[in-house]
Amino acid sequence: MKKLVYSLSHLLPPDANITCQRNHARGNVGFLSVAIYSFALFLPAVVLLCLLGTAMAVEDRFTWGGPGENVVDPTEDNVCLTDQASCGCCLMQQQIHRMGTFLNLTLDELEKELIKTKTLLNNVRDSRSAFSVSLTNRVSLNCLGPFRDDKLIAYKHVFINLGDSYSVDTGIFTVPRSGVYSLALTVYSDAGSPGNSLAACASLQVNGRGVAGTREKNMQDQEDSATIVVALHLIAGDTVGVNLPIGCFLCDDNSHYNTFTGFLLYATD
């Protein structure tokens, strides 16, 4: 067999072996060229992946900007949060984790502020105090007094009694909370006919002591009215009322000429 191959090789033209050797060399050169071209083609991708891994392994200097420190919990069972270079999605998950931390802190702060606001609102509601009353609501004009002694006036018609601190039975307003109060008193009287004695008078009292009053006694006017307004610093438990002095009388109907009003301007306790 070897002899046959040897014989056949001698039958080829003299330059046939040289041509085969050249073709073989050219084949080796072509393969080497393809290899170099392929390496050059994929080299940028390899370099990019290396740079990306390095960048993701470096500590992030840009934070979410929320309150508190944006620190990833190392105990959390998530490879993307503990080993940044091992996972392509770790950067986004880290930002989501920071966002969740920021939102939780913000929610906690909002809940604290809400509790404070509710406390203040309840405090304001508890301190609300206002009343406004008139002598009567009858259709016909009726007069109260005169009396032989001073008499505390019980205003029977109630416009508002916020806090229920005014008593229609006694006519006394009991101060529910220490603070500055605005108090107003309007009196009206009708002598009935010209020439009769008119005595439109009353006094505002705190704890039984007069602090302000109005007095109109004459025989020239058939009717007259007067108003006083004061601001007083009152202490919780103080009592406020209107006293009708001896010889004075007030007249009223559903027009509400005689009124007694008070409300809390601001608390001081």
Side-chain angles (χ1 to χ4, degrees), residues 96-167:
I96 293 175
H97 178 80
R98 289 175 176 173
M99 185 182 296
T101 302
F102 170 70
L103 292 178
N104 288 334
L105 291 174
T106 304
L107 181 60
D108 291 340
E109 293 298 324
L110 289 176
E111 288 178 348
K112 292 179 182 179
E113 291 298 325
L114 179 60
I115 293 175
K116 290 181 182 179
T117 303
K118 287 183 177 180
T119 302
L120 291 175
L121 182 59
N122 291 333
N123 191 25
V124 171
R125 288 175 176 174
D126 293 339
S127 65
R128 289 183 304 178
S129 180
F131 73 95
S132 184
V133 293
S134 67
L135 196 59
T136 184
N137 197 37
R138 294 180 179 179
V139 176
S140 59
L141 188 67
N142 288 272
C143 295
L144 179 67
F147 299 104
R148 295 179 178 272
D149 298 310
D150 289 356
K151 183 178 179 62
L152 199 63
I153 301 174
Y155 293 83
K156 297 300 183 180
H157 181 70
V158 178
F159 296 111
I160 186 174
N161 190 15
L162 191 60
D164 296 325
S165 297
Y166 173 80
S167 173

Side-chain angles (χ1 to χ4, degrees), residues 22-56:
R22 290 178 179 176
N23 291 337
H24 180 70
R26 291 176 181 174
N28 292 336
V29 172
F31 175 78
L32 181 60
S33 299
V34 171
I36 294 174
Y37 176 77
S38 300
F39 178 76
L41 181 64
F42 289 101
L43 180 60
V46 173
V47 173
L48 180 61
L49 289 176
C50 293
L51 293 177
L52 180 61
T54 302
M56 295 176 66

Side-chain angles (χ1 to χ4, degrees), residues 123-124 127-131 162 173 175-184 229-234 261-269:
N123 191 25
V124 171
S127 65
R128 289 183 304 178
S129 180
F131 73 95
L162 191 60
F173 169 69
V175 177
R177 185 172 184 177
S178 299
V180 177
Y181 287 77
S182 174
L183 301 171
V229 179
V230 295
L232 299 176
H233 182 211
L234 303 176
T261 300
F263 56 89
L264 175 65
L265 293 175
Y266 60 89
T268 57
D269 55 2

